[in-house]
Amino acid sequence: MTGRFNLLDLFVLLLYLSGTTALGMWIGRSQKSANEYFVAERAIPWWAVMFSIVASETSALTFISIPGLSYTGNLGFLEVVAGYILGRIVVAYTLLPRYFNGNLVTAYALLETRFGLATRRFTSVVFMITRAMADAVRVFATAIPVALIIGPVMPREYTMPAAIVVLGVLTVIYTYRGGMKAVVWTELLQASIYLVGGISAIVLLGQAVDGGWTTILDRAGAAGKLQAIDWYTGFDRPHTMFAGLIGGAFLAMASHGADQIIVQRLLSSRSLKQAQVAIIGSGFAVFAQMALFLMVGLGLWVVYGGQSFPQADQIFPTFIIERMPHGLIGLIVAAIIAATMSTHSGAINALAASSVYDIYLPFTGRSADDPRTLKVSKFLALAWGVALTAGALLFKEQGTPVVVIALSIASFTQGGLLGGFFLGMFWDRANQRDAILGMSVGIGCMAFIVFAKQIVAAYPSMAPTLGGVATIAWPWYVLIGLTITFVTGMLSSFTHAAPGGTAGAPPAPRSRT
């Protein structure tokens, strides 16, 4: 067993790619309106929405990077994932009822009902810019392990662009044709593929060690790698109970309550109750999934005897190359691609939905049921797909792990956006000017905090100013951004007379778009 990517592996990979594309096109073969295209006529069952949410959160970065966390550390990341569950519960009972009461299609339409159209456009544009940048990085990241695994077949300089183009083209085809229905149902297949890959790794790792998983757990426990709780209360460590439950909860509130890519799936549910079950259930499903991949990392640590690797992201791909049989290698490559295709397809559809409902329809005054709106929706899905693929092709490796880059891009805006929602729900004095000012200040400040290390490296004279914030762990970013946004908006609200209304309850929606 050489681990080389052979014809059997290629057959398995091509079977997956062609099957996923064909399934997505068949599911979405008939689309009659923009509402059907973007929220599937609100007819998706809760369990499908739940696994779609899980799949959308799982990219190649998750599949490759999570085992590296436990290989180089312990199970502390589960503290952050536990916080994700708490954040989802808050979203389920605060923001989701407001979305469903307004019969909305995008998250940012809720801000129009509270503040005005300019706020809706501002938040939608912020989402589109940052989601496009982050997703382009994720697509690029997929090519890295693929290049490492199938490197013997073609030079890396050709493998990476080829992987990006194929991934982008196939995802665009079924997303363009099938809309949200295709996104959700293909994600179920994609989630199954990468979970089979993770379970297969667990089985093979157990077979590679005398005594199997009993030995692996004994050795890991003796080395302290089974530790999952850390009561440290500082702000410089990401995997602590303090940072995990608090920071992780606010991170989940932002990613699942104020990010269109998740909200749109929830709005495709048959009812508010089903959406609530889906989002809370997804938290527990993600916890189980992360535990699975962290266990893979522990198995890898025992198999390789704690050997050092240049990058933690190389550990799992190295095992795939060296230890996995033919056929399964092809399935693992398919799993890596599946994880990113699910996120990629959801991003394309969400970006198109925001473009249509937050920008196009308010600007033109057209109805979502207008046949021309569906044509524009599909065109924008195609345009965003091409833009994301082009962005991935233009991205260049910078020495920084791509998972850090992707998380950083999203992190410096999520707190500001969530702060806008909180301002609307919990501070009655705030008006549109206060909301836009608060989010602008929050996002601007977070850009310095999130990228403080890079700024200090480029401009050493900034070290006295930014040196302290450069040590803040990433789970705190959303809470800090939210706090800056809320406080700024609150202070700004005292410069004008208090508007009428009931605190914490936005006015009735002005429209159904």
Side-chain angles (χ1 to χ4, degrees):
M1 181 174 62
T2 64
R4 290 175 61 88
F5 198 86
N6 68 2
L7 289 177
L8 176 59
D9 301 314
L10 180 62
F11 172 77
V12 172
L13 178 58
L14 293 178
L15 180 64
Y16 162 75
L17 291 174
S18 59
T20 301
T21 305
L23 175 64
M25 294 184 68
W26 180 80
I27 289 173
R29 60 193 180 279
S30 61
Q31 302 286 344
K32 298 178 181 178
S33 68
N35 274 331
E36 183 178 3
Y37 190 71
F38 289 123
V39 290
E41 293 292 343
R42 308 185 193 276
I44 306 295
W46 69 267
W47 54 269
V49 173
M50 182 183 75
F51 284 109
S52 175
I53 292 171
V54 175
S56 71
E57 293 181 68
T58 307
S59 68
L61 303 181
T62 305
F63 193 91
I64 296 300
S65 296
I66 297 303
L69 292 179
S70 55
Y71 186 100
T72 58
N74 52 35
L75 302 181
F77 183 67
L78 291 177
E79 295 165 303
V80 179
V81 185
Y84 292 171
I85 298 175
L86 298 179
R88 283 166 160 86
I89 294 173
V90 173
V91 170
Y93 293 102
T94 56
L95 286 172
L96 275 187
R98 289 172 165 84
Y99 290 138
F100 274 84
N101 287 341
N103 196 27
L104 308 178
V105 173
T106 73
Y108 314 111
L110 182 63
L111 292 176
E112 180 185 2
T113 68
R114 173 62 176 84
F115 293 118
L117 180 59
T119 307
R120 177 180 184 176
R121 287 175 173 167
F122 174 83
T123 52
S124 182
V125 169
V126 169
F127 159 75
M128 286 188 278
I129 293 173
T130 54
R131 171 54 65 175
M133 293 170 61
D135 200 66
V137 174
R138 287 184 174 93
V139 175
F140 173 84
T142 303
I144 297 176
V146 171
L148 183 60
I149 293 167
I150 65 176
V153 177
M154 71 170 65
R156 179 170 176 172
E157 60 267 26
Y158 299 111
T159 300
M160 294 187 68
I164 290 170
V165 170
V166 171
L167 175 67
V169 169
L170 293 179
T171 306
V172 167
I173 288 174
Y174 75 76
T175 306
Y176 168 83
R177 175 73 179 273
M180 182 52 69
K181 284 183 181 178
V183 170
V184 170
W185 292 107
T186 54
E187 281 182 331
L188 294 182
L189 173 62
Q190 291 159 342
S192 300
I193 293 293
Y194 70 69
L195 287 175
V196 168
I199 293 170
S200 299
I202 289 287
V203 173
L204 291 174
L205 286 165
Q207 294 175 348
V209 177
D210 291 336
W213 273 94
T214 299
T215 300
I216 292 174
L217 294 176
D218 286 343
R219 294 181 183 176
K225 300 186 76 63
L226 296 183
Q227 180 183 349
I229 297 177
D230 183 352
W231 295 107
Y232 177 75
T233 57
F235 290 87
D236 56 333
R237 293 185 196 170
H239 304 156
T240 67
M241 189 63 73
F242 187 50
L245 293 183
I246 300 175
F250 279 94
L251 178 57
M253 287 182 219
S255 62
H256 289 67
D259 191 318
Q260 175 65 14
I261 196 170
I262 300 295
V263 172
Q264 191 172 337
R265 285 166 171 76
L266 294 168
L267 293 175
S268 300
S269 301
R270 293 172 177 172
S271 66
L272 169 62
K273 184 66 175 180
Q274 289 209 11
Q276 290 171 326
V277 173
I279 189 174
I280 295 173
S282 71
F284 291 97
V286 166
F287 189 94
Q289 173 185 277
M290 294 303 182
L292 170 68
F293 286 110
L294 288 170
M295 295 304 290
V296 169
L298 296 182
L300 291 169
W301 180 78
V302 174
V303 167
Y304 288 114
Q307 171 188 338
S308 296
F309 286 80
Q311 292 183 353
D313 291 352
Q314 293 182 5
I315 301 170
F316 194 18
T318 300
F319 175 79
I320 295 170
I321 294 170
E322 295 179 347
R323 304 295 181 98
M324 288 196 168
H326 292 302
L328 189 55
I329 295 176
L331 183 66
I332 293 296
V333 175
I336 294 170
I337 293 177
T340 295
M341 285 182 76
S342 64
T343 303
H344 191 40
S345 62
I348 292 171
N349 195 264
L351 288 165
S354 290
S355 301
V356 170
Y357 280 86
D358 296 330
I359 307 297
Y360 175 76
L361 291 182
F363 181 76
T364 62
R366 287 179 178 165
S367 165
D369 296 325
D370 190 323
R372 290 174 294 182
T373 302
L374 179 59
K375 293 181 180 179
V376 171
S377 300
K378 291 190 172 185
F379 170 77
L380 288 171
L382 177 63
W384 277 114
V386 171
L388 295 180
T389 303
L393 287 169
L394 294 173
F395 184 81
K396 302 296 182 184
E397 290 186 87
Q398 305 172 15
T400 303
V402 286
V403 65
V404 174
I405 297 173
L407 288 173
S408 297
I409 290 172
S411 295
F412 81 91
T413 59
Q414 286 183 332
L417 294 180
L418 184 62
F421 283 89
F422 271 50
L423 196 64
M425 290 189 295
F426 303 121
W427 193 251
D428 185 51
R429 289 187 62 95
N431 62 16
Q432 180 160 264
R433 185 198 68 182
D434 306 324
I436 293 177
L437 176 63
M439 287 186 284
S440 299
V441 172
I443 291 170
C445 291
M446 288 312 300
F448 282 97
I449 294 174
V450 172
F451 299 106
K453 291 181 181 178
Q454 293 89 331
I455 294 173
V456 169
Y459 304 97
S461 60
M462 297 289 291
T465 303
L466 297 177
V469 299
T471 64
I472 297 175
W474 61 266
W476 295 109
Y477 289 161
V478 169
L479 178 56
I480 294 172
L482 182 155
T483 302
I484 295 173
T485 299
F486 193 90
V487 171
T488 301
M490 183 179 67
L491 294 176
S492 175
S493 72
F494 287 108
T495 64
H496 58 75
T502 303
R510 298 171 187 164
S511 69
R512 292 182 176 270
T513 59

